[in-house]
């Protein structure tokens, strides 16, 4: 049976989220607020079509894409850098490559037991 990420997910931990925000050049005051947040993610998956809505008391971010179809992403309210994003399957992992000013930028989602995992990556330069 194919993996289905659909559901409502609540943050339980955010190891080194600070490091990721530093790499993106997020200012100190914003980082201080952002790392205290407990965002909620609503994911709606219909085959290879995804809708991911992340909400928090501070800012919200939403994304819609299809697997294998590159799209423009504006990262509005995050670091505001535009990039071209492409999400593909790597086995049962959802892998997004965000091509733009920041090298090795992207994220990976996977399921483990009852948990949704998310790893962000970005070079500092
Ligand atoms: C966004 C990472 C941190 C600035 C605000 C923090 C607001 C709540 O990218 C995201 O999810 C992906 C994968 O599921 C799909 O869009 C969510 C995470 C924030 C950048 C930059 C801190 C300012 C967090 C929106």
């Amino acid at each position: 049976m194919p993996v289905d990420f659909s559901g409502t997910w609540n943050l339980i931990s955010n190891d080194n989220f600070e490091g990721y925000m530093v790499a993106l050049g997020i200012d100190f005051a914003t980082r201080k607020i952002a790392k205290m947040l407990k965002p909620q993610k609503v994911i709606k998956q219909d085959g290879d079509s995804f809708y991911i809505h992340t909400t928090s008391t501070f800012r919200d971010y939403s994304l819609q894409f299809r697997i294998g179809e590159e799209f423009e992403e504006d990262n509005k309210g995050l670091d505001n850098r535009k990039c071209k994003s492409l999400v593909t399957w790597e086995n049962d992992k959802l892998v997004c490559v965000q091509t733009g000013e920041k090298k090795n930028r992207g994220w990976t989602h996977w399921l483990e037991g009852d948990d949704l995992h998310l790893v962000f990556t970005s070079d500092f330069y």
Side-chain angles (χ1 to χ4, degrees), residues 17 20-21 24 26 30-31 33-35 37 39 41 43 52-56 58-63 65 73 75 77-79 98 105 107 109 116 118 120:
F17 183 43
Y20 176 63
M21 290 192 287
L24 290 184
I26 306 300
T30 305
R31 294 202 311 269
I33 297 165
K35 68 183 169 197
L37 300 172
K41 241 179 228 302
I43 302 182
I52 303 181
H53 194 195
T54 310
T55 56
S56 75
F58 181 49
R59 283 175 197 167
D60 301 340
Y61 190 71
S62 66
L63 200 62
F65 58 87
E73 190 174 1
N75 295 287
L78 305 178
D79 67 320
Q98 296 172 306
R105 182 170 183 172
W107 51 259
H109 266 304
L116 172 73
L118 169 60
F120 288 114

Side-chain angles (χ1 to χ4, degrees), residues 2-123:
V3 61
D4 186 3
F5 289 84
S6 297
T8 300
W9 307 91
N10 294 299
L11 185 97
I12 50 176
S13 67
N14 61 353
D15 298 350
N16 199 27
F17 183 43
E18 171 76 7
Y20 176 63
M21 290 192 287
V22 168
L24 290 184
I26 306 300
D27 67 84
F28 178 80
T30 305
R31 294 202 311 269
K32 238 174 81 161
I33 297 165
K35 68 183 169 197
M36 295 307 293
L37 300 172
K38 300 279 178 236
Q40 184 176 75
K41 241 179 228 302
V42 172
I43 302 182
K44 293 177 182 168
Q45 179 183 351
D46 180 8
D48 278 353
S49 287
F50 283 82
Y51 169 79
I52 303 181
H53 194 195
T54 310
T55 56
S56 75
T57 52
F58 181 49
R59 283 175 197 167
D60 301 340
Y61 190 71
S62 66
L63 200 62
Q64 238 178 310
F65 58 87
R66 280 185 63 83
I67 299 293
E69 294 181 10
E70 193 174 59
F71 59 98
E72 302 262 355
E73 190 174 1
D74 61 10
N75 295 287
K76 207 172 164 66
L78 305 178
D79 67 320
N80 295 304
R81 285 188 188 85
K82 290 184 171 56
C83 60
K84 287 202 196 274
S85 302
L86 176 66
V87 186
T88 56
W89 288 114
E90 282 185 18
N91 299 310
D92 284 346
K93 291 189 177 186
L94 205 54
V95 178
C96 180
V97 173
Q98 296 172 306
T99 306
E101 185 190 333
K102 289 288 171 182
K103 301 305 164 202
N104 294 314
R105 182 170 183 172
W107 51 259
T108 299
H109 266 304
W110 70 96
L111 298 172
E112 226 175 276
D114 288 336
D115 296 336
L116 172 73
H117 289 252
L118 169 60
V119 169
F120 288 114
T121 52
S122 170
D123 281 5

